[in-house]
Amino acid sequence: MIASPQNFNITPEEYLQMEDKSQIKHEYIDGEIYAMAGASDAHVTISLNLAALLRSHVRGRGCRVYISDMKARIETKNKNKFYYPDVMVTCDKRDQETTNYKSFPCLIVEVLSDSTEAFDRGDKFADYQTLESLQEYVLINPKSQRVECFRRGEDGLWILEFYTAEKSVFQLKSVEFEGSLADLYEDVSFELESEI
């Protein structure tokens, strides 16, 4: 996201109409829209690797996997926001009723970048936590093999589990998935990322 909003006080309906015609993507936060920047090679590769692994895994289970072009909508009494997660999975039939956003994901994944990491860990995570359907929020580091998985416990508290190269596998319990870090990071060049 860029630092300052481009438009003020537009409605969600106006945002959705504008976004359908826009050549660039924007996130929407309570009446303001923010243009999204492009992503690095590692960022895109990791997102695609995970989406491909998850798509194969959930096939035939009534779940859908979406990549960065599908919006997640957060709508509460005090919030009205649309974000573009890097990867999102929904198994809720209510999400079949909307074609350009989803409101009931069970899993949201963000691949970190220098410009968005603080937001992904802070306000965006706080917003995602208001989604009652969300069971897991995952942050993936593109500079080293590190996956941070936040899971909502039965008491509503979020519990963090780390996966690093030493573990070699990671789990996404919301969709009963176990995969290898080698597959997740396939074709990612950490040397190239460190040059940025």
Side-chain angles (χ1 to χ4, degrees), residues 35-50:
M36 296 185 65
S40 70
D41 184 282
H43 189 119
V44 173
T45 301
I46 292 165
S47 298
L48 182 58
N49 287 347
L50 181 59

Side-chain angles (χ1 to χ4, degrees), residues 3 28 50 55 63 68 89 103 117-118 157 164 176 182:
Y28 175 90
L50 181 59
R55 174 66 184 118
C63 299
S68 60
V89 178
S103 300
E117 182 171 356
L157 297 177
T164 59
E176 300 174 349

Side-chain angles (χ1 to χ4, degrees), residues 80-133:
N80 210 329
K81 302 180 181 193
F82 291 89
Y83 294 127
Y84 283 95
D86 291 314
V87 179
M88 174 172 54
V89 178
T90 179
C91 303
D92 194 305
K93 291 186 181 196
R94 292 174 290 179
D95 273 333
Q96 295 174 11
E97 299 169 9
T98 55
T99 58
N100 54 4
Y101 65 86
K102 303 302 169 193
S103 300
F104 306 99
C106 60
L107 170 65
I108 290 179
V109 179
E110 297 287 1
V111 179
L112 298 173
S113 66
D114 290 342
S115 62
T116 64
E117 182 171 356
F119 184 62
D120 289 343
R121 292 183 180 282
D123 290 345
K124 186 182 274 189
F125 184 27
D127 290 337
Y128 283 148
Q129 289 178 46
T130 66
L131 295 168
E132 291 181 12
S133 62

